[in-house]
Amino acid sequence: MDWESFYDTHPSPSNYESIITAVENFVCSHENEKMVLITSGGTTVPIEQNTVRFVDNFSLGTRGSASAEYFLDAGYVVIFLYRSNSLEPFVRHFNNSLLDKLEIVDDKSIQVKQSELDTLYPILKKYKDAKNANRILTVPFTTLIEYMWLLRGSCMLMDTKYSLLYLAAAVSDFYIPPSEMAEHKVQSNDGPPMIALRLVPKVLYAVTHIWAPNAYIISFKLETDYGILEQKSKGALIKYKHQLVIGNLLHTRKRNVKLIGQDGVIEDILLTDEDIKNGIEIEDLIVSNVKAKHDRFFESQK
């Protein structure tokens, strides 16, 4: 199935119009400002119409949520299209430890531990500043179909040289069309289910040629085999004609990535042990590099 047929045969989510209206209003309120759409987290593939079980992947949204903070620091306005319940900008710092940072003062009140104030305050201030200035819009999705519709709608609103599309979501390669799903929960006493997965259509061509051809577009490539990472990244650039692929390997992705451009130049971004010890995140380095590239692209379009 091609991407056009996918949208023809898979209805939009029930709340699609209200979400896209919110995105449109946000985009219009920041006309002629540099804006980034960050996609983050994984997509679920339900196996029942009344969904109990689904196919998922390991993505927690680490890359996307961290990058959103650094893009805000770099002066961008951010639309954060993310998997519901995955990591979010700023909130990510406290997902597993928030309760440990609080203490009970008396029977009716709590406060932040004094020892945690130096860490919590700057993060909370950046969050409040971004929200109060309306510089970040968060848009959640859960299923593959929701993601596909929200991606299309958002990209079509960002077809300008001011826009950067940072497509970091771990999108499912396979799915089950709703027409082929069981209506109700698959029963284990019926034996192992026979599930036929279909290929998800590649929409990057539509992003680069139809929905947002004037934007600066970055895709991500995750592999487990170093031997094919560069080849597949360069192949994507040739096929889809976008500006940059950020390639990484599963087991080293938090300290090493490759930025592969249309000109064939490959740049390595590598965190040292000292960087990690000092709390430097690789997304900080990625965003600084990407911003410089987008600046040059922006100037070339004048």
Side-chain angles (χ1 to χ4, degrees):
M1 178 182 290
D2 59 28
W3 63 267
E4 292 171 308
S5 299
F6 181 93
Y7 287 100
D8 287 340
T9 56
H10 296 82
S12 61
S14 59
N15 59 348
Y16 174 77
E17 293 298 334
S18 62
I19 294 175
I20 291 302
T21 296
V23 174
E24 183 176 18
N25 291 339
F26 184 82
V27 171
C28 290
S29 69
H30 295 286
E31 187 176 5
N32 297 334
E33 292 185 66
K34 286 189 176 177
M35 179 178 296
V36 58
L37 170 68
I38 299 172
T39 67
S40 183
T43 58
T44 67
V45 174
I47 65 172
E48 302 130 338
Q49 292 179 20
N50 293 285
T51 306
V52 173
R53 300 181 177 92
F54 53 83
V55 181
D56 203 352
N57 61 48
F58 76 95
S59 177
L60 297 176
T62 304
R63 181 83 78 214
S65 60
S67 296
E69 294 178 25
Y70 294 115
F71 273 115
L72 286 167
D73 288 344
Y76 281 79
V77 178
V78 174
I79 299 175
F80 188 65
L81 179 59
Y82 74 107
R83 161 74 175 275
S84 181
N85 296 322
S86 67
L87 296 178
E88 298 179 53
F90 307 109
V91 183
R92 70 188 178 98
H93 298 279
F94 310 109
N95 267 26
N96 297 319
S97 59
L98 179 59
L99 294 181
D100 292 330
K101 299 179 185 299
L102 304 175
E103 60 185 3
I104 297 173
V105 178
D106 52 44
D107 289 341
K108 296 182 179 180
S109 62
I110 61 173
Q111 68 180 17
V112 178
K113 292 180 180 177
Q114 190 65 35
S115 60
E116 300 290 347
L117 282 176
D118 288 344
T119 300
L120 178 59
Y121 177 81
I123 296 170
L124 181 60
K125 187 176 189 310
K126 284 185 177 183
Y127 168 77
K128 291 292 188 181
D129 288 347
K131 293 294 289 185
N132 291 339
N134 192 35
R135 298 195 64 80
I136 184 168
L137 176 69
T138 55
V139 181
F141 65 84
T142 301
T143 68
L144 169 72
I145 292 174
E146 289 172 339
Y147 170 82
M148 296 280 274
W149 274 95
L150 293 171
L151 176 68
R152 186 176 82 159
S154 300
C155 286
M156 291 173 71
L157 294 168
M158 297 183 65
D159 184 23
T160 76
K161 66 180 181 180
Y162 294 90
S163 298
L164 192 157
L165 307 183
Y166 189 83
L167 307 179
V171 183
S172 305
D173 289 318
F174 311 99
Y175 82 114
I176 305 170
S179 61
E180 298 178 16
M181 294 179 193
E183 181 180 0
H184 297 291
K185 177 186 174 184
V186 174
Q187 298 297 314
S188 59
N189 56 13
D190 292 335
M194 300 297 292
I195 299 173
L197 297 173
R198 304 292 185 91
L199 282 171
V200 175
K202 301 295 186 183
V203 296
L204 190 52
Y205 179 89
V207 173
T208 59
H209 288 74
I210 300 171
W211 301 339
N214 294 301
Y216 190 92
I217 301 169
I218 300 170
S219 69
F220 284 74
K221 182 68 68 175
L222 174 72
E223 296 294 343
T224 58
D225 181 356
Y226 179 82
I228 64 173
L229 179 61
E230 290 185 16
Q231 173 192 347
K232 294 197 71 173
S233 298
K234 290 178 179 179
L237 290 167
I238 292 169
K239 185 173 183 180
Y240 300 115
K241 304 292 192 293
H242 55 305
Q243 284 74 28
L244 189 70
V245 172
I246 298 180
N248 49 178
L249 293 171
L250 176 63
H251 299 297
T252 59
R253 68 190 186 281
K254 294 185 178 180
R255 59 186 303 156
N256 180 218
V257 300
K258 293 180 179 293
L259 276 60
I260 303 164
Q262 281 186 331
D263 55 5
V265 173
I266 299 175
E267 300 173 68
D268 263 302
I269 294 181
L270 178 66
L271 285 187
T272 65
D273 291 338
E274 190 67 20
D275 291 332
I276 295 171
K277 181 180 177 180
N278 292 329
I280 296 173
E281 295 180 299
I282 197 167
E283 290 79 17
D284 189 0
L285 307 183
I286 293 171
V287 170
S288 295
N289 190 300
V290 165
K291 180 185 182 299
K293 287 177 167 54
H294 187 213
D295 287 344
R296 291 194 292 271
F297 171 82
F298 181 85
E299 291 300 321
S300 73
Q301 303 303 304
K302 289 184 176 179

